[in-house]
Structures are given as C-alpha cells and as structure tokens.
Amino acid sequence: PSLSLSQSSIVGGIRASVFGTVTLNGKAPVGGYVVNIASDKAAARVPASVTVPAGATSATFSFVTDAVPSDQTANISVSANSFSSSAPLLITAPRLSDFTLSRPSIKKGKQNSGTVTISTRAPAGGLVINLAVTNPATGVTVPATVTIPAGLLYGTFAVSTSASMTPGTVSITATLNGSSLPAQFDVTN
C-alpha cells in the first residue's frame, strides 16, 4: 500500500484532523484488506488500522495530534503483508504570541508582573519559557524561566526592582524555541 497525508505539517494539539489515504495496487478482495498504521511519535495519535473495502482501491483514516514542547517530525507508516509505505508529518510546537507587563511604570523597590502568552495550549508537562533582563545590568530580578501549565495559553511571573537601582527603562526578553519577544517598563524614583 502507499500512503498520502492531507498536509505536511500541523500545529500540535489543535482541534483539527489530519487525513491519511491508503492506496492499493489493485482492488481489495472480498472481506476487505486490512492495512496496519503506526507512528514513531506518540504525539500523532493514529488508529491501529484501516480497512480498504472489498472492490475498492483506497481508504481514508483520520487522526489528531497532541501539543508538543518543540517541533518534531512524526513518520506515519502503513503496512500489510510484506509491503509498507510512510510519510512524514511535521508537528509544530506553540510559539510566543504576546509578552506584556502589568504596569508601564513603577517606583524603584516595587514589584511588577509579566504575562507570557503562547499561540496554542501548552503540552502535557507544561511549557518552559526562558526569561532574561537585557537592561539594566543590575537592580532588576526575574525568574530564569516561567512554566505555562499544560492546557493553558499563558504564564505569569513577578519582577522585582531594587530600592537602590538607578531609575530608567527596564527591558526583559522572553524566549521559546529560538524566537523571542521583548517587553519594557520604566522605573522611577
């Protein structure tokens, strides 16, 4: 059997199906022809098999994907007797979609809070976003990471400022899977 997929990539965890079509070289015999289906990645939840109806040359099956922490390629394969075929499916991870701070300006020594939002729900185990203060060099503290819990679209964290820091603009960067978003706020006396 040969295999074709309705698409070459999908965002993991969205409520949309991928369709696979299994095609035989000839018509299926009486009783149909069972073709086994497998994926080398658990995030692609394929059925165990599909049956090509008697007299038909093809059959279609559908499956969904789970959210993933980073992009991964699942090889979907079909097999029957000694024949097999496979097709790759790129399952993409959530991307950063927004990064905001609750207050645009605070007095030194006070706290601010940040919210990082992602494009699709976080996978099982949550999704870790890296945080860094890019300016100033001292006086501002953020956690090294913020974890967005499984199934959620955002995570929040606290930003602390020192009472002795020099007033000015604070820049913080959130990074996920190689892409970054900046956010800023002002610190005053």
Side-chain angles (χ1 to χ4, degrees):
S2 64
L3 171 65
S4 63
L5 298 177
S6 58
Q7 57 213 77
S8 59
S9 67
I10 190 170
V11 178
I14 64 170
R15 293 180 179 172
S17 294
V18 177
F19 295 91
T21 300
V22 175
T23 304
L24 306 178
N25 290 330
K27 292 182 179 181
V30 173
Y33 191 77
V34 177
V35 178
N36 298 310
I37 307 167
S39 169
D40 65 351
K41 296 288 191 298
R45 295 192 277 146
V46 298
S49 65
V50 64
T51 300
V52 180
T57 58
S58 65
T60 299
F61 63 93
S62 65
F63 62 96
V64 295
T65 59
D66 291 327
V68 292
S70 60
D71 294 356
Q72 57 180 249
T73 299
N75 289 300
I76 312 301
S77 60
V78 294
S79 61
N81 297 327
S82 59
F83 301 99
S84 65
S85 180
S86 65
L89 176 69
L90 176 64
I91 304 172
T92 60
R95 301 291 191 251
L96 289 172
S97 62
D98 196 22
F99 180 24
T100 58
L101 293 160
S102 62
R103 289 181 283 178
S105 179
I106 63 170
K107 291 186 181 296
K108 63 182 184 177
K110 301 296 184 181
Q111 281 200 335
N112 206 342
S113 62
T115 301
V116 180
T117 306
I118 54 176
S119 57
T120 54
R121 298 187 186 283
L127 193 66
V128 177
I129 313 294
N130 294 308
L131 301 171
V133 176
T134 53
N135 185 69
T138 60
V140 180
T141 304
V142 299
T145 62
V146 58
T147 299
I148 299 177
L152 295 185
L153 291 168
Y154 65 92
T156 60
F157 62 95
V159 181
S160 299
T161 63
S162 167
S164 61
M165 72 175 288
T166 302
T169 299
V170 173
S171 299
I172 303 172
T173 301
T175 304
L176 172 65
N177 291 326
S179 66
S180 298
L181 282 178
Q184 295 182 328
F185 69 97
D186 292 323
V187 175
T188 62
N189 282 315

